[in-house]
Amino acid sequence: MNARISLPQPETGQGPGLWGVLNQRRSRRRYVDRALSLAQLSQLLWATYGISGARGDRRLRTAPSAGALFPLDVYVLVNRVADVPAGYYQYQPEDHVLVPAGHEVDPQALRDACLGQSMITEAGAVFCLVAVPDRAVPRYGERAHRYIGLDAGHAMQNLYLAAEALGLGCCAIGAFRDEAVNRVLGLDGVRRWALYLGTVGSL
Ligand SMILES: Cc1cc2nc3c(=O)[nH]c(=O)nc-3n(C[C@H](O)[C@H](O)[C@H](O)COP(=O)(O)O)c2cc1C
């Protein structure tokens, strides 16, 4: 079992200009075989769903969320990241750490469940946005399902922009067999289910 990984502090000040990053953002599906750095992984995770402040005793994040309920969990399948053993981890935004997810994920099985999209195994890391409806359904009922999808879109766009800003390639993946992906990721498909994946790799 891999150990908990402390992530370096993310950059929150300087960075490439937003307009240029927006103008350049594209879905990039071909990656070279060069590991991501731990600093890059840290920045990508923070940008996707990290803590950026507080309101009262409520932590706020880089992505907006209906009712500030944050009904997603972010997992990452590490294929090639320097100083991080390959494996499947959960991102814990409160402490900005990765913890082993307690479940082994076979990258090839995940690729197969995603209709054979080869970027799954070629990426340095695959980000998995997992829906946790119990955080939003008690307040919003049926409408929670709409909000969860909208929240995931915000987080994925953050991942895209962060990857672009770091000179990395990113591609969203929504085309997959739900049951197969949930099985590969160890999710029950009801209380926790795979909503949206994103690959990031070196260019
Ligand atoms: C909800 C959603 C699901 C997507 N799923 C996939 C996918 O499974 N595989 C893929 O290669 N691209 C996927 N994409 C990327 C789109 O193909 C891409 O955004 C579109 O072609 C526009 O290109 P651009 O992102 O380079 O501007 C997805 C994008 C979105 C927003």
Side-chain angles (χ1 to χ4, degrees):
M1 177 66 79
N2 297 326
R4 167 186 161 115
I5 310 276
S6 292
L7 296 164
Q9 275 302 108
E11 175 64 60
T12 58
Q14 300 300 308
L18 179 60
W19 308 140
V21 172
L22 280 169
N23 196 44
Q24 282 164 31
R25 187 215 58 81
R26 292 291 178 273
S27 294
R28 306 187 194 278
R29 302 172 176 83
R30 308 295 286 274
Y31 312 122
V32 299
D33 188 14
R34 188 173 60 248
L36 305 180
S37 70
L38 185 58
Q40 287 172 330
L41 182 64
S42 168
Q43 197 70 25
L44 293 163
L45 286 162
W46 175 79
T48 301
Y49 219 46
I51 303 288
S52 55
R55 186 186 297 144
D57 56 4
R58 182 170 282 180
R59 306 284 203 97
L60 296 176
R61 308 207 190 186
T62 53
S65 173
L69 297 176
F70 300 103
L72 303 172
D73 279 345
V74 177
Y75 289 78
V76 62
L77 175 64
V78 170
N79 288 332
R80 275 174 297 284
V81 177
D83 305 318
V84 183
Y88 189 53
Y89 298 86
Q90 183 173 8
Y91 176 50
Q92 294 191 343
E94 293 78 8
D95 301 318
H96 195 56
V97 297
L98 284 178
V99 296
H103 175 81
E104 298 292 315
V105 170
D106 174 4
Q108 301 211 355
L110 186 59
R111 183 187 64 193
D112 292 347
C114 294
L115 317 181
Q117 299 192 63
S118 56
M119 55 188 161
I120 295 272
T121 46
E122 289 162 9
V126 182
F127 290 68
C128 306
L129 304 186
V130 169
V132 188
D134 285 355
R135 287 190 204 137
V137 168
R139 184 182 307 182
Y140 292 122
E142 271 305 301
R143 200 166 184 82
H145 301 288
R146 173 194 295 235
Y147 290 157
I148 292 169
L150 294 172
D151 280 21
H154 293 298
M156 185 59 67
Q157 176 74 350
N158 282 0
L159 178 62
Y160 262 112
L161 295 177
E164 198 67 48
L166 292 167
L168 301 170
C170 175
C171 188
I173 296 186
F176 52 76
R177 294 198 307 274
D178 294 337
E179 280 183 21
V181 167
N182 285 332
R183 191 166 50 247
V184 170
L185 298 183
L187 303 168
D188 67 11
V190 178
R191 302 191 73 157
R192 305 175 68 79
W193 50 278
L195 174 53
Y196 208 6
L197 309 186
T199 54
V200 179
S202 300
L203 298 174

